Amino acid sequence: MNETATYESRSTGPARREAGSGGSARERLLASANELFYAEGIQTVGIDRIIEHAGVAKGSLYNLFGSKEGLVHAYLESRHDGTTGRLMAAVDRYRVPRRRLLAVFEAQALIFAQPGFRGCAFVAAAAEAPRGGLVERAADDYRAWIRALFTDLAEQAGATDPPELARQLQVIYDGAILSARMDHDPSIATSARAAAEALLDASL
């Protein structure tokens, strides 16, 4: 998927369940993957631990996902759907194009404030995975979605060069995630929104 890829969310995201709290084997495995992979990393957490945490048979994982890489890919798809669903819900609360664009950073502030926030799942997973596999593809798809969203919102707002503004906004978006994670400072979202607003004003 490239930078012009559609930014429509595939869904509002799968319902999150606590591992072992019921649901199908697939739901329980994904819930365990979401909890453990995001908190500890995809290389640190092994298949046996996921299976034990989910309370399912080992064969269920391989029947449903084929391999650990398949499970990691499904985990990242669920993160994609959850994050993009939250961003689009924030954007769709507004009609004024300017507010719609800035709403992305307002939604980001809420994500930073969530208990257990540990940065971008896609950056973390891609750093641990080999090049060219399903994990890198999932990360590329997510980043293309974000860029396409910013490009479309920049066009709606009347920016003179929407693709370039989208690139700049994505730099701010990415940098805010890194700062919030490394500095343990969710308030950086306020600075990110202010920087995005200044860029938007300069581009009109």
Side-chain angles (χ1 to χ4, degrees):
M1 187 179 293
N2 57 32
E3 292 176 7
T4 61
T6 178
Y7 61 87
E8 289 301 322
S9 181
R10 292 191 291 265
S11 73
T12 57
R16 298 288 173 82
R17 298 175 181 269
E18 266 186 51
S21 66
S24 69
R26 179 182 177 84
E27 289 173 324
R28 286 151 62 191
L29 285 165
L30 272 177
S32 293
N34 264 297
E35 181 179 338
L36 297 175
F37 286 155
Y38 185 64
E40 301 177 30
I42 63 172
Q43 293 297 337
T44 301
V45 178
I47 287 294
D48 289 341
R49 186 150 172 237
I50 292 284
I51 291 166
E52 180 182 2
H53 196 269
V56 302
K58 179 175 287 191
S60 296
L61 187 148
Y62 291 104
N63 289 336
L64 290 164
F65 301 103
S67 64
K68 181 179 179 180
E69 185 185 35
L71 176 62
V72 173
H73 184 253
Y75 148 70
L76 291 174
E77 286 192 320
S78 76
R79 302 295 301 191
H80 178 124
D81 290 340
T83 301
T84 59
R86 284 191 291 272
L87 294 181
M88 288 308 302
V91 169
D92 289 343
R93 283 199 295 268
Y94 300 102
R95 293 182 178 275
V96 177
R98 177 190 181 87
R99 293 302 306 275
R100 285 170 61 82
L101 190 153
L102 296 176
V104 174
F105 295 92
E106 294 166 7
Q108 192 179 50
L110 297 178
I111 293 172
F112 292 170
Q114 290 180 340
F117 171 75
R118 296 183 63 83
C120 178
F122 298 91
V123 170
E128 295 185 74
R131 296 291 302 271
L134 291 175
V135 174
E136 185 176 62
R137 189 184 312 164
D140 288 347
D141 286 350
Y142 174 74
R143 293 187 59 75
W145 188 96
I146 295 292
R147 180 73 61 82
L149 173 64
F150 277 134
T151 301
D152 185 74
L153 293 175
E155 289 174 351
Q156 293 177 27
T160 55
D161 188 349
E164 178 58 23
L165 178 58
R167 284 167 56 90
Q168 295 169 349
L169 291 170
Q170 191 164 21
V171 170
I172 294 172
Y173 183 89
D174 291 343
I177 295 172
L178 178 63
S179 294
R181 171 70 179 96
M182 298 301 293
D183 299 335
H184 308 287
D185 181 14
S187 70
I188 195 67
T190 302
S191 298
R193 186 190 184 283
E197 189 169 19
L199 275 177
L200 178 59
D201 288 343
S203 73
L204 299 180

